[in-house]
Amino acid sequence: MRVIANEWIELPDGVRLAARIWLPQDAATQPVSAIVDWVPYRKSDGTAVGDGAWGTYFAAHGFAFVRIDLRGSGDATGLMEDEYTEQEQRDAEHAIEWIATRSWCTGSVGMIGVSWGGFAALQLAARAPAALRGVVPIHASDDRY
């Protein structure tokens, strides 16, 4: 397994999202599908232990795991104006496309998440970006109220 501590995902408006990526050792020569966790909880410290457990598990089982700090959170730039916004969903679509086009990725991307990440996964499933193949929402709903 190989871990990339920080990779920048540049959005069309110049904001940069911060991603930590776990990859199977041979992903450079044998691309894999990717699983994304999309939450604002500071990948560098706030969720690092749990992210490491998920990342290690998925990489050991032949998937890339990508944990992304959202616009205005953690190591990302920009401003977060609220939760579950149209801007957040557009950012996620760009991030999914970015991941799908990496040389280590087969072009297939899934999302997993608890609470915020689960809500985000459901929202993105409804938007149906081309590379998104499935979602695993945990403790989430399509109606935040």
Side-chain angles (χ1 to χ4, degrees):
M1 177 185 69
R2 172 170 78 96
V3 179
I4 301 169
N6 193 70
E7 183 77 39
W8 295 111
I9 301 171
E10 187 151 344
L11 300 175
D13 64 358
V15 166
R16 295 187 315 163
L17 305 179
R20 176 165 290 144
I21 304 168
W22 288 257
L23 297 166
Q25 192 63 41
D26 60 353
T29 58
Q30 296 184 37
V32 296
S33 298
I35 300 169
V36 177
D37 187 17
W38 177 262
V39 293
Y41 304 126
R42 299 185 333 264
K43 68 171 180 57
S44 294
D45 61 357
T47 61
V49 172
D51 296 342
W54 274 14
T56 300
Y57 177 84
F58 288 128
H61 288 83
F63 295 91
F65 180 67
V66 184
R67 176 40 186 91
I68 300 173
D69 281 343
L70 281 56
R71 173 187 295 259
S73 73
D75 296 326
T77 65
L79 177 65
M80 180 182 292
E81 295 183 3
D82 199 359
E83 54 187 13
Y84 316 121
T85 63
E86 173 68 22
Q87 181 66 62
E88 179 185 326
Q89 293 172 46
R90 284 194 311 268
D91 290 353
E93 287 179 315
H94 287 291
I96 288 168
E97 178 62 26
W98 181 90
I99 293 164
T101 62
R102 299 302 93 189
S103 62
W104 46 260
C105 186
T106 62
S108 294
V109 180
M111 292 180 76
I112 192 169
V114 178
S115 189
W116 188 309
F119 276 73
L122 289 170
Q123 289 176 321
L124 267 289
R127 295 172 78 97
L132 187 63
R133 299 292 193 267
V135 298
V136 180
I138 305 164
H139 301 295
S141 169
D142 62 350
D143 181 353
R144 67 190 270 207
Y145 299 104

